[in-house]
Amino acid sequence: MLMPTGALAQRRQPMPSREELGTPQSAPVQQQQEKNFPLGASWTAVSLNGKPISDRRATLMVDQNLRGTGFAGCNTFSAAAYPLRQQSFAVGPLALTKRSCDKGLSDFERSYLTALRATQKWDLVNGKLVLKGGAGELQFDRAL
């Protein structure tokens, strides 16, 4: 049998604050500031899928009109290039000159343009422009 007691309603004590407990408040979460794509800058490819490009030359520049142009090793190209929010990136169909090249250069050019066309994300890491997509990763150094 339960007997009623005189303290039917217990008072709730307020919880002590963080300062009273001596616990530091957590630092406010800093949102990463969105980066701006470097329009108008010229870039030279230095690696393709983690392999250095030392015996070939490939370039990229995206101008203020969102037109990407460059040299792919044998031919020059142009395409619409869209740096999007959250460091996304889209490259439209490529217009390409039709110079004839040796097989090694043609294979490199095809790999470079395939990786460029499939780019989905961009980033600036230690001064390098990094483009990533389903066909691989390109890294560029800023050209002079």
mmCIF file of all heavy atoms in Angstrom, residues 17 42 80 105 129:
data_model
loop_
_atom_site.group_PDB
_atom_site.id
_atom_site.type_symbol
_atom_site.label_atom_id
_atom_site.label_comp_id
_atom_site.label_asym_id
_atom_site.label_seq_id
_atom_site.Cartn_x
_atom_site.Cartn_y
_atom_site.Cartn_z
ATOM 1 N N SER A 17 24.870 26.668 -15.307
ATOM 2 C CA SER A 17 25.326 27.052 -16.646
ATOM 3 C C SER A 17 26.707 26.446 -16.900
ATOM 4 O O SER A 17 27.384 25.973 -15.999
ATOM 5 C CB SER A 17 25.393 28.572 -16.765
ATOM 6 O OG SER A 17 26.428 29.056 -15.942
ATOM 7 N N SER A 42 45.162 31.534 -66.765
ATOM 8 C CA SER A 42 45.659 30.481 -67.656
ATOM 9 C C SER A 42 46.304 29.386 -66.814
ATOM 10 O O SER A 42 47.023 29.673 -65.857
ATOM 11 C CB SER A 42 46.703 31.040 -68.627
ATOM 12 O OG SER A 42 46.097 31.961 -69.492
ATOM 13 N N ALA A 80 31.872 25.603 -73.793
ATOM 14 C CA ALA A 80 31.265 26.311 -72.674
ATOM 15 C C ALA A 80 31.742 25.612 -71.404
ATOM 16 O O ALA A 80 31.779 24.382 -71.341
ATOM 17 C CB ALA A 80 29.749 26.261 -72.768
ATOM 18 N N LEU A 105 50.610 11.136 -79.040
ATOM 19 C CA LEU A 105 50.024 12.446 -78.764
ATOM 20 C C LEU A 105 48.504 12.407 -78.875
ATOM 21 O O LEU A 105 47.800 12.994 -78.050
ATOM 22 C CB LEU A 105 50.615 13.472 -79.739
ATOM 23 C CG LEU A 105 50.620 14.924 -79.311
ATOM 24 C CD1 LEU A 105 51.185 15.110 -77.911
ATOM 25 C CD2 LEU A 105 51.413 15.754 -80.301
ATOM 26 N N LEU A 129 44.903 24.143 -59.589
ATOM 27 C CA LEU A 129 43.509 23.925 -59.959
ATOM 28 C C LEU A 129 43.327 22.426 -60.142
ATOM 29 O O LEU A 129 44.081 21.793 -60.889
ATOM 30 C CB LEU A 129 43.174 24.665 -61.256
ATOM 31 C CG LEU A 129 41.776 24.418 -61.823
ATOM 32 C CD1 LEU A 129 40.689 24.941 -60.878
ATOM 33 C CD2 LEU A 129 41.642 25.070 -63.196
#
